[in-house]
Amino acid sequence: MLLSDAREYYIKYLGDGHKMYLDDIKRYEEFKAMNIPERTKAEWDDEIVAMYFKTLHDDPDDVWAKHDRIIGILKKKRCDYLKWGKLLLDELEGFEYLNKKNKILIIENMAGRDRYHKGGAYIIITKTPYAERLDQIMQEFTDFYVTEDDNLNQLGWRDIRDRYNRAVIEYNRAYRKWTERPGDEAYSSEE
């Protein structure tokens, strides 16, 4: 496998070794055997993140999924958090055009899908100096009404008010978790 092939392979799977392994064990082993430096993988992660930011608004129904992929790549701890964290917040300010379902999905992305998966709030609070800005943006972003008329005939969306309320509660819980607890991992410019 050439380095250019390894790059394409890595980008195709968003650098997710588990998915690479599941799809083709032999090819994954060949990739691993190359011992690609972390710096190179970081450059590839930056390429992936840049690609997702460039196409973020192409399809309003897909914004939340691209947003989630960006967060997932940033959680791998190889990217420039200040650069991408600022851009993530800039983009979040421009999401007011999204429908309610997609706004709720973005709130879930920022909170983290469950207590084991840290979301965008974790990254912004612990890896950048933008925690206060995040909170201001999210307080405005989460301020919309959801009624029974907004329910969708889709699994998980039949009681959209409940999903919205849970998403907001989980975001606020995540924000407090990373900013208020003793011994937290809040960002420090001395790192």
Side-chain angles (χ1 to χ4, degrees):
M1 179 181 288
L2 300 172
L3 188 60
S4 60
D5 297 328
R7 179 186 159 279
E8 285 180 33
Y9 180 64
Y10 185 89
I11 289 173
K12 175 182 178 183
Y13 290 95
L14 307 178
D16 187 332
H18 181 70
K19 289 180 182 172
M20 292 176 184
Y21 177 83
L22 289 176
D23 192 45
D24 186 342
I25 296 170
K26 188 176 179 181
R27 188 155 189 219
Y28 176 68
E29 293 298 332
E30 187 180 349
F31 174 83
K32 267 182 59 177
M34 293 181 71
N35 291 320
I36 297 167
E38 288 298 307
R39 181 188 301 154
T40 302
K41 290 179 185 177
E43 290 170 7
W44 294 346
D45 284 344
D46 276 342
E47 282 184 54
I48 297 167
V49 171
M51 173 192 66
Y52 277 116
F53 272 118
K54 184 178 179 182
T55 63
L56 188 60
H57 300 279
D58 288 357
D59 178 1
D61 289 331
D62 197 33
V63 170
W64 76 271
K66 291 177 182 176
H67 181 263
D68 190 49
R69 289 182 192 116
I70 290 168
I71 291 169
I73 294 163
L74 293 178
K75 286 192 297 189
K76 290 194 300 183
K77 303 177 182 175
R78 287 193 285 252
C79 292
D80 180 345
Y81 292 114
L82 296 178
K83 173 184 174 182
W84 298 121
K86 181 182 181 311
L87 187 54
L88 192 67
L89 292 178
D90 292 346
E91 293 295 337
L92 194 55
E93 286 182 306
F95 286 163
E96 66 274 345
Y97 72 92
L98 295 175
N99 64 28
K100 292 175 183 179
K101 176 184 176 182
N102 282 279
K103 284 183 178 182
I104 293 167
L105 289 165
I106 295 289
I107 297 167
E108 291 173 349
N109 289 350
M110 294 307 290
R113 292 282 164 208
D114 58 42
R115 65 183 174 159
Y116 303 108
H117 295 95
K118 300 169 185 169
Y122 166 79
I123 293 166
I124 299 299
I125 294 164
T126 63
K127 307 298 182 193
T128 77
Y130 309 132
E132 192 172 306
R133 181 173 175 223
L134 168 67
D135 193 45
Q136 291 169 346
I137 292 169
M138 288 300 291
Q139 293 313 314
E140 290 178 24
F141 186 74
T142 59
D143 187 20
F144 59 93
Y145 292 102
V146 181
T147 68
E148 285 183 19
D149 294 337
D150 297 314
N151 288 341
L152 302 169
N153 191 20
Q154 299 171 358
L155 188 62
W157 294 99
R158 291 189 178 101
D159 187 353
I160 198 169
R161 286 185 302 181
D162 180 59
R163 181 125 181 209
Y164 165 77
N165 288 330
R166 283 185 290 125
V168 171
I169 287 167
E170 288 304 315
Y171 165 75
N172 287 324
R173 186 176 293 151
Y175 185 84
R176 283 192 316 275
K177 176 180 181 178
W178 298 114
T179 59
E180 295 178 357
R181 69 179 194 182
D184 68 4
E185 299 178 35
Y187 174 80
S188 170
S189 61
E190 295 147 10
E191 291 179 357

